[in-house]
Amino acid sequence: MKRVGVFTSGGDAPGMNACIRAVVRGAIYHGAEIYGIRYGYNGMIKGDIFEMNSHSVSNIIQKGGTILKSARSTKFMTKEGRKKAYDQLQKFGIEGLVCIGGDGSFTGAKIFFEEHGVPIVGAPGTIDNDIYGTDFTIGFDTAVNTAIEAIDKIRDTADSHDRIFFIEVMGRDSGYIAIRSGICGGAELVMVPELSTSVEDVISALENEKRRSKTSSIIIVAEGGEAGSAIEIAGKVKNKLKEADIRVTTLGHVQRGGAPSAKDRILASRMGLSAIEGLLNSRKNVMAGVMKDELVYTPIEHAITIKKSLSRDLLRMVDIFNNRYKR
Amino acid sequence: MKRVGVFTSGGDAPGMNACIRAVVRGAIYHGAEIYGIRYGYNGMIKGDIFEMNSHSVSNIIQKGGTILKSARSTKFMTKEGRKKAYDQLQKFGIEGLVCIGGDGSFTGAKIFFEEHGVPIVGAPGTIDNDIYGTDFTIGFDTAVNTAIEAIDKIRDTADSHDRIFFIEVMGRDSGYIAIRSGICGGAELVMVPELSTSVEDVISALENEKRRSKTSSIIIVAEGGEAGSAIEIAGKVKNKLKEADIRVTTLGHVQRGGAPSAKDRILASRMGLSAIEGLLNSRKNVMAGVMKDELVYTPIEHAITIKKSLSRDLLRMVDIFNNRYKR
Amino acid sequence: MKRVGVFTSGGDAPGMNACIRAVVRGAIYHGAEIYGIRYGYNGMIKGDIFEMNSHSVSNIIQKGGTILKSARSTKFMTKEGRKKAYDQLQKFGIEGLVCIGGDGSFTGAKIFFEEHGVPIVGAPGTIDNDIYGTDFTIGFDTAVNTAIEAIDKIRDTADSHDRIFFIEVMGRDSGYIAIRSGICGGAELVMVPELSTSVEDVISALENEKRRSKTSSIIIVAEGGEAGSAIEIAGKVKNKLKEADIRVTTLGHVQRGGAPSAKDRILASRMGLSAIEGLLNSRKNVMAGVMKDELVYTPIEHAITIKKSLSRDLLRMVDIFNNRYKR
Amino acid sequence: MKRVGVFTSGGDAPGMNACIRAVVRGAIYHGAEIYGIRYGYNGMIKGDIFEMNSHSVSNIIQKGGTILKSARSTKFMTKEGRKKAYDQLQKFGIEGLVCIGGDGSFTGAKIFFEEHGVPIVGAPGTIDNDIYGTDFTIGFDTAVNTAIEAIDKIRDTADSHDRIFFIEVMGRDSGYIAIRSGICGGAELVMVPELSTSVEDVISALENEKRRSKTSSIIIVAEGGEAGSAIEIAGKVKNKLKEADIRVTTLGHVQRGGAPSAKDRILASRMGLSAIEGLLNSRKNVMAGVMKDELVYTPIEHAITIKKSLSRDLLRMVDIFNNRYKR
């Protein structure tokens, strides 16, 4: 394979630039030509494609976001869209692709490979950490660090006023950010989709805290849980605990940005290098990941269909540190 | 005056601890005894009062929140409450007070002085900066720095996706945090209560941006403006600009916490020292502030009634940097 | 075992407090009594020992340093010292110990166990990461993050002036911090004790950079390497490359402090809990660690004698990203 | 004036990019053409000059360093060099200049104006804050914030080990950074060139601390003081206080980098806008500054010759907070 392309797709994540850099420098090191594709599949369809060299990725390892831009593409969900994308790749002579993104992006990659035979190796870039085939995804560690910096700050004000704070963190359908930021932030309770914590559970935990004469509490809520958003849960709790001083903060998009942490820079560099080397060594339709600190390749199909489970070790720790019943 | 008390009141603000430290060390330096009162006026009523020494304030200058805790007191709004507070001060032999807080706290101080003659000197501690008699309040600089760190992060993701972001910052009834964080964050538009920016203005600004081929935009919204919350405004804009990719983030309580900035530590130290020295020099019913870099005392009455105006220089800069019409 | 003690020893590391918290809360959860020992082995000898409860470790997970203080003890190196320490433990009824520290501390623990039979479980707390039996030590991730924040800042000024910067990071006899912060900081060269990079190698790498028309360079130097300190190396390079604009920064003790990163808080919590649970389950003379993301116990003897090797994957990445010869 | 140039010169400082942005956007707003000159006077001599537009300065307000690069120019110190620079400006049709830099840069500007009549307005950009005509220079607030973050971290380790730390901060011939970071960091002593603190003073202060049973101390040393570097002073102190555990950290170049603080972004924006508006309004040979929160213009001659004094208020605070003799 002489000429390959790289693109980012789906929600951006800190460390994507470090990964792009590793792909580009790795390709050049191994004598391949490397092209950047802007705006994910949309740019592939439009031919928003350009040759990259070593300087193209200078001084980006520390930057949040993605220099290749990202987008969700509805056109690529159609057969016509994918045909156009294929024609553009042909035009530019691109024989293989590295796709940095999440499960939606990988699903597209899989279909594209099946229809047009273009080999793609994925690198998992999403703050949500909800992809099988890697213990951690690019951006997750930074997102958790951003969340705990916010929690540390909110703890200042919670303590000063003896308040109960509900803090909503990101993580559609998965409690990875919630559980880790909960432990790191010393939260009194963590509500994750994987467990069905009810509003009643919250109230009983808070009453338990009060008996232990804890005066301020922090409860971390993963977005998208059954019990509702942090605002909804807080409202219901307030209905029961009338005299409690309750506040809500939804951390939101700050969790996606910022300079990547050390761990994310290393992880993104390792997986980017592994992805390009896999592609140049004729791997196809796999995702480069790191499991138990080893570089591994997982079939894209597995990455997007197998459900990664939340560590029970971590769930147990929240209970122990708050001296609660054994689950 | 031989024995004085210090307390924090109202919403907490980064730098309050630096101010407490200055009051305590300043009192000791001048040979006075200093007592801490916990939970503001509530603690005064309950007699939650203790003697402090130099070690009581060791290693707190860098801490957010307030070691003396804070609260809003409804009891102190009653004559009976204030009588009880006075009796407690008598019991402890406290002859004067330093009150670190905002306008609500100062209003209480003024009435207390009128009723019971206890001299109080205020130090303005609130992130909102909405107090006359000082160019900056304790906590304001830190809050703006926290806001711009968040905006810098959101800019990463806005740029990566060509998105429009509405970011709501704190500041009831005042645009101080909004205007400064808007300029510092390179925002395309800043909506402050002081100007009546309508939803139509926002739409026309965004269309103007688009003509200049700007692909991402950040709009800062001060909470409590006429046009509604950031979520409401964004909803209305989305109705008109259907194809725009619009997101909303409400920064919330993170703005209140965190280690105080250098500027806030210096300001809090200067005003705390000035407050205690003023009190020991028989000032009463005044607030210690810094105007044009000079320490000044302002009658509490002025501090709570005069409306501080937003710098037109700063408002003008937002327009110039975005190359808009002259106001 | 009904009553156990916990102490920190050797150089402090961010996350030690999170580890203490996990030990204390874990002990209480399992019904044991837990005592804190201040100033490491010195405090053990002096009987600087106190009972801890759940509140003793409230609001410390985010704090750098160690609330139990630390010290290097020369007295404990003597038989008399250890006897006195043993007598104190007897006096307080302490039957087992959790020691949070590095290899020096563990060596003491091993001898103490051999002489007096007091079971000790270690938790590896040192920024240097130079302990066998765990992939990462408590404080290492934070130290690397602190180092790369500094490198990111120095990159600003290096780029603005086309300068060559030598940055010395911590890590006696080991290149862990150097190699990771080098990769994360996009360094042009990393000098670690594990490789014998000579001053000539540095000069040839810099000349290579120049040919590639790179205008600024950052070279990371691990302290304690054969080629000397960063200042010495820079001096020798300057002698050869007379016209180069060369600067040196020694990061120093900032690397030891600061709020622990998310990864360190999780790691410290897991290892602290594992250490206390191991102790209560009759383990002795072992260290709790995490290898390949699994909790493991390693004989203290192995932890202090086996040399952990530096990942060749990481060393290779520095070369690839700088497009150099294959090692 | 239709066409103007802008350049940065001397040591870089955080906020220079915010200043460049203000100059460029301000020029465009007022209908002028604006050219960037790279590498300060060196680039002027070489003709490294290019037209800028509004997009040239997008997304730079938050970046450290300077996109226009900087250099110290020996050629510009010669008459021939300045003649060449003048010829280049003529060639590009540049009629006036904004110079962002320190006193060396302004001295060059003054001579250049005298010889060739090119009007220059300066904006003070240096972390040292040692320029008359403005209360604060661009980059100073960020440098102090960087210093205190480092001091906060070192305090963690100092407290954990009962150590004495000497921390050297930047500031050739001036104690601005030292005095502010000393107050903000809660330092026990601050050594600035403006006061002749001797090694004996340090020793007596430390002995005083010990009597007050303070167990750890932080002493801030401004580089370039009479008593020597932090390393030299610490060595002498160690000779006297043999049993003290003394460490030294030299903060170095990290103080120059990093994202500018809110205060620096506002200040740089105000002064940049004021500089370009002054130039377009026919001012010449002046520096734009902010004194007592008002925009002012000061003759360049005064800016470079008048010595700005260190606030005695601040010096007094260090003593009071450490409960020492009145000066």
Side-chain angles (χ1 to χ4, degrees):
Chain A
M1 203 170 293
K2 264 197 55 181
R3 185 176 293 177
V4 294
V6 58
F7 64 102
T8 50
S9 174
D12 66 313
M16 280 187 161
N17 283 327
C19 191
I20 295 167
R21 176 176 176 268
V23 171
V24 169
R25 297 252 166 113
I28 292 165
Y29 182 80
H30 289 294
E33 292 168 14
I34 179 79
Y35 280 66
I37 302 166
R38 287 198 194 86
Y39 293 103
Y41 292 117
N42 271 352
M44 204 183 293
I45 291 169
K46 286 190 196 157
D48 193 349
I49 297 172
F50 64 105
E51 188 168 1
M52 300 183 82
N53 59 34
S54 191
H55 284 294
S56 314
V57 292
S58 283
N59 210 10
I60 67 164
I61 194 172
Q62 80 280 22
K63 297 210 166 98
T66 158
I67 60 162
L68 292 179
K69 307 266 186 166
S70 189
R72 297 181 207 268
S73 175
T74 47
K75 284 187 191 152
F76 196 76
M77 292 181 188
T78 67
K79 206 156 185 150
E80 297 70 40
R82 293 190 294 271
K83 179 65 171 61
K84 276 188 193 159
Y86 177 69
D87 292 343
Q88 292 286 3
L89 295 184
Q90 289 291 97
K91 196 175 119 193
F92 281 90
I94 293 171
E95 301 164 79
L97 294 167
V98 171
C99 167
I100 306 165
D103 53 4
S105 315
F106 292 162
T107 305
K110 181 175 161 284
I111 299 171
F112 193 55
F113 174 73
E114 287 163 4
E115 283 179 9
H116 298 286
V118 180
I120 303 194
V121 177
T126 163
I127 63 165
D128 293 334
N129 199 30
D130 56 351
I131 294 179
Y132 178 81
T134 194
D135 290 339
F136 299 104
T137 54
I138 297 166
F140 173 66
D141 185 61
T142 307
V144 176
N145 274 299
T146 301
I148 69 173
E149 275 172 39
I151 296 170
D152 287 354
K153 287 181 181 175
I154 289 170
R155 175 76 71 188
D156 287 342
T157 192
D159 276 351
S160 297
H161 289 274
D162 292 354
R163 275 179 183 153
I164 297 165
F165 262 94
F166 287 82
I167 304 177
E168 185 174 306
V169 299
M170 282 191 161
R172 270 160 323 146
D173 314 326
S174 71
Y176 295 103
I177 294 180
I179 188 71
R180 290 196 170 240
S181 54
I183 291 172
C184 293
E188 276 68 27
L189 197 72
V190 178
M191 301 179 74
V192 293
E194 287 83 354
L195 295 176
S196 307
T197 318
S198 66
V199 171
E200 285 68 39
D201 295 337
V202 177
I203 290 167
S204 104
L206 285 172
E207 283 170 342
N208 180 35
E209 293 297 315
K210 215 178 160 184
R211 272 191 299 277
R212 290 168 58 212
S213 64
K214 267 224 154 182
T215 51
S216 69
S217 294
I218 285 182
I219 294 164
I220 304 297
V221 182
E223 64 170 346
E226 269 175 49
S229 72
I231 290 177
E232 291 162 351
I233 297 167
K236 291 173 192 163
V237 170
K238 181 69 188 166
N239 274 343
K240 291 280 174 64
L241 306 178
K242 306 261 186 228
E243 79 282 33
D245 189 356
I246 295 178
R247 304 291 159 115
V248 184
T249 294
T250 304
L251 292 188
H253 281 84
V254 288
Q255 295 164 85
R256 291 202 174 283
S261 69
K263 188 177 165 185
D264 270 332
R265 296 188 198 187
I266 294 283
L267 186 71
S269 298
R270 289 179 76 190
M271 297 206 295
L273 187 55
S274 173
I276 186 70
E277 293 189 332
L279 184 67
L280 296 177
N281 284 320
S282 306
R283 292 196 184 259
K284 51 194 68 164
N285 223 0
V286 295
M287 186 192 79
V290 174
M291 293 179 88
K292 297 197 175 297
D293 211 40
E294 300 285 339
L295 287 164
V296 292
Y297 296 101
T298 301
I300 287 267
E301 174 121 32
H302 294 179
I304 58 185
T305 55
I306 301 180
K307 173 86 180 158
K308 194 157 81 175
S309 62
L310 201 59
S311 159
R312 299 205 72 82
D313 257 23
L314 297 182
L315 291 170
R316 181 175 170 260
M317 280 208 287
V318 179
D319 288 340
I320 289 180
F321 293 155
N322 287 295
N323 200 19
R324 274 197 295 273
Y325 53 89
K326 304 179 192 196
R327 270 182 214 274
Chain B
M1 202 170 293
K2 265 196 58 182
R3 186 176 292 177
V4 294
V6 58
F7 63 102
T8 49
S9 174
D12 65 313
M16 279 187 163
N17 283 327
C19 191
I20 294 167
R21 176 177 176 268
V23 171
V24 170
R25 298 252 166 113
I28 292 164
Y29 182 80
H30 289 294
E33 293 167 15
I34 179 81
Y35 280 67
I37 301 165
R38 287 199 195 86
Y39 293 103
Y41 292 115
N42 272 351
M44 204 184 293
I45 291 169
K46 287 190 196 158
D48 193 349
I49 297 174
F50 64 107
E51 188 169 1
M52 301 183 80
N53 60 32
S54 191
H55 285 294
S56 314
V57 292
S58 282
N59 210 8
I60 66 164
I61 195 173
Q62 80 280 21
K63 298 209 166 100
T66 158
I67 60 162
L68 292 178
K69 305 266 187 167
S70 188
R72 297 181 206 269
S73 174
T74 48
K75 284 186 192 152
F76 197 75
M77 292 182 190
T78 66
K79 207 156 185 152
E80 297 70 39
R82 292 190 294 271
K83 178 65 173 60
K84 277 189 192 159
Y86 177 69
D87 291 344
Q88 291 284 4
L89 295 184
Q90 290 290 97
K91 195 175 119 193
F92 282 89
I94 293 171
E95 302 164 79
L97 295 166
V98 171
C99 167
I100 307 166
D103 52 5
S105 315
F106 292 161
T107 305
K110 182 176 161 284
I111 299 171
F112 193 54
F113 174 73
E114 287 163 3
E115 284 179 7
H116 298 286
V118 180
I120 303 194
V121 177
T126 164
I127 63 166
D128 293 334
N129 199 30
D130 56 351
I131 294 178
Y132 178 82
T134 194
D135 290 339
F136 300 104
T137 54
I138 297 166
F140 173 66
D141 187 60
T142 307
V144 176
N145 274 299
T146 300
I148 69 173
E149 276 171 38
I151 297 169
D152 287 353
K153 287 181 182 175
I154 290 171
R155 175 76 71 188
D156 287 342
T157 192
D159 276 350
S160 296
H161 289 274
D162 292 355
R163 274 178 184 156
I164 297 165
F165 262 94
F166 287 81
I167 304 176
E168 185 174 306
V169 297
M170 281 192 163
R172 272 160 322 147
D173 314 325
S174 72
Y176 295 103
I177 295 180
I179 187 72
R180 288 195 172 239
S181 53
I183 291 173
C184 292
E188 276 69 26
L189 197 72
V190 178
M191 300 178 75
V192 293
E194 286 83 354
L195 294 176
S196 307
T197 318
S198 66
V199 171
E200 286 67 40
D201 294 337
V202 178
I203 290 168
S204 106
L206 286 171
E207 284 171 340
N208 180 35
E209 292 299 314
K210 215 179 160 183
R211 272 192 299 278
R212 288 169 60 209
S213 65
K214 268 225 153 180
T215 51
S216 68
S217 293
I218 285 182
I219 294 164
I220 304 297
V221 181
E223 64 171 345
E226 269 175 49
S229 72
I231 290 177
E232 291 163 351
I233 297 167
K236 290 174 193 162
V237 170
K238 180 71 188 167
N239 274 343
K240 290 281 174 64
L241 305 179
K242 305 260 186 230
E243 79 280 34
D245 189 357
I246 294 178
R247 303 291 160 114
V248 183
T249 293
T250 304
L251 292 187
H253 282 83
V254 288
Q255 294 164 85
R256 291 204 175 281
S261 69
K263 189 178 164 184
D264 271 332
R265 296 188 198 186
I266 294 283
L267 186 71
S269 298
R270 289 179 76 190
M271 298 204 295
L273 187 55
S274 172
I276 186 70
E277 294 190 330
L279 185 66
L280 296 177
N281 284 318
S282 305
R283 291 195 185 261
K284 50 194 69 163
N285 223 359
V286 295
M287 185 192 81
V290 174
M291 294 179 88
K292 298 199 173 296
D293 211 40
E294 301 285 339
L295 287 164
V296 291
Y297 297 100
T298 301
I300 286 268
E301 173 120 33
H302 294 180
I304 58 187
T305 54
I306 301 182
K307 173 87 182 156
K308 194 156 83 175
S309 62
L310 201 60
S311 159
R312 299 205 71 82
D313 257 25
L314 297 182
L315 291 169
R316 182 175 168 260
M317 280 208 288
V318 179
D319 288 340
I320 290 181
F321 294 155
N322 287 294
N323 200 20
R324 275 197 296 272
Y325 54 89
K326 304 177 193 198
R327 270 183 215 273
Chain C
M1 202 170 293
K2 264 196 57 183
R3 186 175 292 176
V4 295
V6 59
F7 63 101
T8 49
S9 173
D12 66 314
M16 280 188 162
N17 283 327
C19 191
I20 294 168
R21 176 176 176 268
V23 171
V24 170
R25 298 251 166 114
I28 292 165
Y29 182 81
H30 289 293
E33 292 168 15
I34 179 80
Y35 279 67
I37 301 164
R38 287 200 195 84
Y39 293 103
Y41 293 116
N42 271 351
M44 204 183 293
I45 291 169
K46 288 189 196 159
D48 193 349
I49 297 173
F50 64 107
E51 189 169 0
M52 300 183 83
N53 60 32
S54 190
H55 285 294
S56 316
V57 292
S58 283
N59 210 9
I60 67 164
I61 195 173
Q62 79 280 21
K63 299 211 166 97
T66 158
I67 61 162
L68 292 179
K69 305 267 186 165
S70 188
R72 297 181 206 269
S73 174
T74 47
K75 284 186 192 154
F76 197 77
M77 292 182 190
T78 67
K79 206 156 185 152
E80 297 70 39
R82 291 190 294 271
K83 178 65 171 61
K84 277 188 192 159
Y86 177 69
D87 292 343
Q88 292 284 4
L89 294 184
Q90 290 289 97
K91 194 174 120 194
F92 282 90
I94 293 171
E95 301 165 80
L97 293 168
V98 171
C99 166
I100 306 166
D103 53 4
S105 315
F106 292 162
T107 304
K110 183 176 162 284
I111 298 171
F112 193 54
F113 173 74
E114 287 164 2
E115 284 179 7
H116 298 286
V118 180
I120 303 194
V121 177
T126 163
I127 63 165
D128 292 334
N129 199 30
D130 57 350
I131 295 180
Y132 178 81
T134 194
D135 290 339
F136 300 104
T137 53
I138 298 166
F140 173 66
D141 185 61
T142 308
V144 176
N145 274 298
T146 300
I148 69 172
E149 275 172 39
I151 297 170
D152 287 354
K153 287 181 182 175
I154 290 171
R155 175 75 72 187
D156 288 342
T157 193
D159 276 350
S160 296
H161 289 275
D162 293 354
R163 275 179 182 155
I164 297 164
F165 263 93
F166 287 82
I167 304 176
E168 185 173 307
V169 297
M170 282 193 162
R172 270 160 323 150
D173 313 327
S174 71
Y176 295 102
I177 295 179
I179 187 72
R180 289 196 171 240
S181 54
I183 291 172
C184 293
E188 276 68 26
L189 197 72
V190 178
M191 301 179 75
V192 293
E194 287 83 352
L195 294 175
S196 308
T197 319
S198 66
V199 171
E200 285 68 39
D201 295 336
V202 178
I203 290 167
S204 105
L206 286 172
E207 283 170 342
N208 180 35
E209 291 299 314
K210 214 178 161 185
R211 271 192 298 279
R212 290 168 59 211
S213 63
K214 269 223 156 184
T215 51
S216 69
S217 294
I218 285 182
I219 294 164
I220 305 297
V221 182
E223 63 170 345
E226 268 176 50
S229 71
I231 291 176
E232 291 163 350
I233 297 167
K236 290 175 193 161
V237 170
K238 181 70 187 168
N239 275 343
K240 289 283 173 64
L241 306 178
K242 306 260 185 230
E243 80 280 35
D245 189 355
I246 294 177
R247 303 292 160 115
V248 184
T249 293
T250 303
L251 292 187
H253 281 83
V254 288
Q255 294 164 86
R256 292 202 174 281
S261 70
K263 189 178 165 184
D264 271 332
R265 295 188 199 187
I266 294 282
L267 187 71
S269 298
R270 290 179 76 190
M271 298 203 296
L273 187 56
S274 173
I276 186 70
E277 293 189 332
L279 185 66
L280 296 176
N281 285 318
S282 305
R283 290 194 185 262
K284 49 195 70 163
N285 224 358
V286 295
M287 185 192 80
V290 174
M291 294 180 87
K292 298 198 174 296
D293 211 38
E294 302 283 341
L295 287 164
V296 291
Y297 296 101
T298 300
I300 286 267
E301 173 121 32
H302 294 180
I304 58 185
T305 54
I306 300 182
K307 173 86 180 157
K308 193 156 83 175
S309 63
L310 202 59
S311 159
R312 299 206 72 82
D313 258 24
L314 297 183
L315 291 170
R316 181 174 170 262
M317 280 209 288
V318 180
D319 288 341
I320 289 180
F321 294 154
N322 288 294
N323 202 19
R324 275 197 295 272
Y325 53 90
K326 305 176 193 199
R327 269 184 216 274
Chain D
M1 204 170 291
K2 264 195 59 181
R3 185 175 292 176
V4 295
V6 59
F7 64 101
T8 50
S9 173
D12 66 314
M16 280 188 161
N17 283 326
C19 192
I20 294 168
R21 175 176 176 269
V23 171
V24 169
R25 297 252 167 113
I28 291 165
Y29 182 80
H30 290 293
E33 293 168 15
I34 178 80
Y35 280 67
I37 301 165
R38 286 199 195 85
Y39 293 102
Y41 293 116
N42 271 352
M44 204 184 292
I45 291 169
K46 285 190 197 157
D48 192 349
I49 297 172
F50 64 106
E51 188 168 2
M52 301 183 83
N53 60 33
S54 191
H55 285 294
S56 315
V57 292
S58 283
N59 210 7
I60 67 165
I61 194 172
Q62 81 279 22
K63 299 210 166 99
T66 159
I67 60 163
L68 292 179
K69 306 265 185 166
S70 187
R72 297 182 206 267
S73 174
T74 47
K75 284 188 192 152
F76 196 76
M77 293 181 188
T78 66
K79 208 158 184 152
E80 297 71 39
R82 292 189 294 271
K83 180 64 172 60
K84 277 188 192 159
Y86 177 69
D87 292 343
Q88 292 284 4
L89 295 184
Q90 289 290 96
K91 195 174 119 194
F92 281 90
I94 293 171
E95 300 164 80
L97 294 167
V98 172
C99 167
I100 306 165
D103 53 3
S105 315
F106 292 161
T107 305
K110 182 176 162 283
I111 299 171
F112 194 54
F113 173 73
E114 287 163 3
E115 284 179 6
H116 297 286
V118 180
I120 302 193
V121 177
T126 164
I127 63 165
D128 293 333
N129 199 30
D130 57 350
I131 294 179
Y132 178 82
T134 194
D135 291 338
F136 300 105
T137 55
I138 297 167
F140 173 66
D141 185 61
T142 307
V144 176
N145 274 298
T146 300
I148 69 173
E149 276 172 38
I151 297 170
D152 287 353
K153 288 181 182 175
I154 290 171
R155 175 75 71 186
D156 287 343
T157 194
D159 276 350
S160 296
H161 289 274
D162 293 354
R163 275 179 183 153
I164 297 165
F165 262 94
F166 287 82
I167 304 176
E168 184 173 307
V169 299
M170 281 192 162
R172 270 159 323 146
D173 313 326
S174 72
Y176 296 103
I177 294 179
I179 187 72
R180 291 196 168 239
S181 53
I183 291 172
C184 293
E188 277 68 26
L189 196 72
V190 178
M191 302 178 74
V192 293
E194 286 83 354
L195 294 176
S196 307
T197 318
S198 67
V199 171
E200 285 68 39
D201 295 336
V202 177
I203 290 167
S204 106
L206 286 172
E207 283 170 341
N208 180 35
E209 292 298 315
K210 215 179 161 183
R211 271 192 299 278
R212 290 168 58 212
S213 65
K214 269 223 154 185
T215 51
S216 69
S217 294
I218 286 182
I219 294 164
I220 305 297
V221 182
E223 63 170 344
E226 267 175 50
S229 72
I231 290 176
E232 291 162 351
I233 297 166
K236 289 174 194 163
V237 170
K238 180 71 188 167
N239 275 343
K240 290 282 173 64
L241 306 178
K242 305 260 185 231
E243 80 280 36
D245 189 356
I246 295 177
R247 303 292 159 115
V248 184
T249 293
T250 304
L251 292 187
H253 281 84
V254 289
Q255 294 165 86
R256 293 203 173 281
S261 69
K263 189 177 165 185
D264 270 332
R265 296 187 198 187
I266 295 282
L267 186 70
S269 298
R270 288 179 78 190
M271 297 204 296
L273 187 55
S274 172
I276 185 70
E277 293 189 332
L279 185 66
L280 296 177
N281 285 318
S282 305
R283 289 193 186 264
K284 51 193 70 163
N285 225 359
V286 295
M287 186 191 81
V290 174
M291 294 180 87
K292 300 199 172 294
D293 211 40
E294 301 283 341
L295 287 163
V296 291
Y297 297 101
T298 301
I300 286 268
E301 174 118 34
H302 294 179
I304 57 185
T305 54
I306 300 180
K307 174 86 180 157
K308 194 157 83 178
S309 62
L310 202 59
S311 159
R312 299 206 71 82
D313 257 23
L314 297 182
L315 291 169
R316 181 174 169 262
M317 281 209 287
V318 179
D319 288 341
I320 289 181
F321 294 156
N322 287 295
N323 201 19
R324 275 197 294 271
Y325 53 89
K326 303 177 193 199
R327 268 183 216 275

